[in-house]
């Protein structure tokens, strides 16, 4: 049974692809008002775990509950509509559209008027467009993307595209945000900026965040709690201070970072 302070519970998750085992008996809860980091070596099952939450993968065993609702059999778009947003490892944007248009495209799950009303574009359809445009402009301002708002995404440097991808996820207005290596490939300045925005999202919107990240400096600075995966199993869980001194975490991952 889900506790009152738990937003999402993934219980005894097992996932395999033929003979390849991705996750074995993984149980993780995401609590209200926290940044939960999931760390581990490459191939540990971190992204596979997020894919189970999103509905991209179906675990062969176990259950996933979000606010008490079972997610296992829901398609990804239904899970998004329930309030789970995600930034993927790879940039999920329309490269031929502007930053503004990409953020507007993400608003479709909140649009209530059908194709015909949008086609004639007046009255309620126009008012709804204005409302969504206003929300997108707030996100652009929040992420300091005004200089690139009308730039074609495909023409932007990598760090700016990653920032726009975060803007796309925020345009969904999630109640739970999944970040899958959002800082991968960024330089130090870009990482610092994105980490600041993640903290701002957390503090201003009061939503729990699940962060998969290899930069241990970032993880130790901003995470409230850390789960360590290795070969598809959860081997450790605790606060950053506890994980720093956990022998299993050090042997599997943290020790290799220092080597």
């Amino acid at each position: 049974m889900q506790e009152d302070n738990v937003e999402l519970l993934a219980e005894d998750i097992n996932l395999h692809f033929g003979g390849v085992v991705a996750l074995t008996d993984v149980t993780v809860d995401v609590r209200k008002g926290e940044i939960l980091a999931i760390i581990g070596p490459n191939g540990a099952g971190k992204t596979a775990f997020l894919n189970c939450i999103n509905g991209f993968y179906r675990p062969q065993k176990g259950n996933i509950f979000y606010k008490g609702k079972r997610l296992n059999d829901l398609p990804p778009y239904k899970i998004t509509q329930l309030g789970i947003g995600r930034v993927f490892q790879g940039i999920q944007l329309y490269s031929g559209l502007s930053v503004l248009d990409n953020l507007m495209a993400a608003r479709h799950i909140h649009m209530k008027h059908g194709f015909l009303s949008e086609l004639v574009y007046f009255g309620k359809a126009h008012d709804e467009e204005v409302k969504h445009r206003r929300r997108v402009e707030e996100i652009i301002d929040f992420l300091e993307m005004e200089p690139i708002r009308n730039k074609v995404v495909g023409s932007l440097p990598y760090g700016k595209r990653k920032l726009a991808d975060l803007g796309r996820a925020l345009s969904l207005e999630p109640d739970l945000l999944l970040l899958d290596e959002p800082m991968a490939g960024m330089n130090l300045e870009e990482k610092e900026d994105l980490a600041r925005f993640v903290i701002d999202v957390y503090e201003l919107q009061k939503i729990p965040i699940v962060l998969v990240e290899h930069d241990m400096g970032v993880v130790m600075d901003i995470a409230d709690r850390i789960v360590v995966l290795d070969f598809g199993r959860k081997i450790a869980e605790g606060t950053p201070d506890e994980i720093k001194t956990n022998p299993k975490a050090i042997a599997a991952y943290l020790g290799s970072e220092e080597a």
Side-chain angles (χ1 to χ4, degrees), residues 211-227:
L211 172 67
V212 171
E213 181 55 51
H214 282 290
D215 189 319
M216 285 300 97
V218 171
V219 169
M220 295 297 173
D221 282 345
I222 72 174
D224 298 297
R225 193 163 53 97
I226 298 173
V227 167

Side-chain angles (χ1 to χ4, degrees), residues 3-138:
E3 297 180 9
D4 290 341
N5 71 326
V6 173
E7 288 283 276
L8 182 139
L9 174 63
E11 197 169 30
D12 297 324
I13 301 301
N14 283 254
L15 178 71
H16 60 80
F17 304 95
V20 178
V21 178
L23 297 168
T24 303
D25 299 329
V26 173
T27 294
V28 174
D29 64 341
V30 182
R31 302 165 191 172
K32 294 178 180 178
E34 75 168 351
I35 297 178
L36 172 69
I38 300 178
I39 66 172
N42 289 331
K46 304 181 296 296
T47 296
F49 179 72
L50 295 189
N51 283 341
C52 289
I53 294 174
N54 277 129
F56 295 117
Y57 293 163
R58 303 290 184 195
Q60 284 80 24
K61 177 187 172 187
N63 291 295
I64 302 172
F65 296 96
Y66 177 60
K67 296 184 176 180
K69 185 176 182 64
R70 188 172 182 269
L71 302 184
N72 292 53
D73 300 320
L74 296 180
Y77 78 94
K78 287 285 188 182
I79 293 172
T80 301
Q81 289 175 341
L82 288 175
I84 299 179
R86 182 173 174 182
V87 172
F88 295 81
Q89 273 185 313
I91 296 170
Q92 301 297 311
L93 296 170
Y94 299 108
S95 60
L97 297 180
S98 69
V99 170
L100 175 63
D101 289 338
N102 269 277
L103 270 60
M104 282 296 292
R107 297 293 301 171
H108 76 280
I109 67 168
H110 298 293
M111 294 182 180
K112 298 179 175 61
H113 295 285
F115 173 74
L116 291 178
S117 61
E118 293 291 341
L119 187 64
V120 295
Y121 191 64
F122 68 87
K124 291 183 178 179
H126 176 269
D127 293 343
E128 187 178 43
E129 176 85 8
V130 170
K131 181 186 74 172
H132 291 302
R133 177 67 173 264
R134 186 179 298 118
R135 179 62 186 132
V136 163
E137 293 290 356
E138 290 172 355

Side-chain angles (χ1 to χ4, degrees), residues 3-4 7 13 78 86 105 121 135 142 153 159 192 200-201 204 207 225 233 235 238 241 245-246 250:
E3 297 180 9
D4 290 341
E7 288 283 276
I13 301 301
K78 287 285 188 182
R86 182 173 174 182
Y121 191 64
R135 179 62 186 132
F142 173 72
V153 164
E192 290 175 347
D200 287 345
V201 170
L204 295 175
I207 61 173
R225 193 163 53 97
R233 293 181 179 272
I235 62 169
D241 286 341
T245 57
N246 185 291
I250 292 170

Side-chain angles (χ1 to χ4, degrees), residues 87-88 90-93 160-169:
V87 172
F88 295 81
I91 296 170
Q92 301 297 311
L93 296 170
K160 296 298 184 184
R161 279 182 281 160
K162 294 284 281 188
L163 183 60
D165 206 16
L166 175 59
R168 172 201 55 77

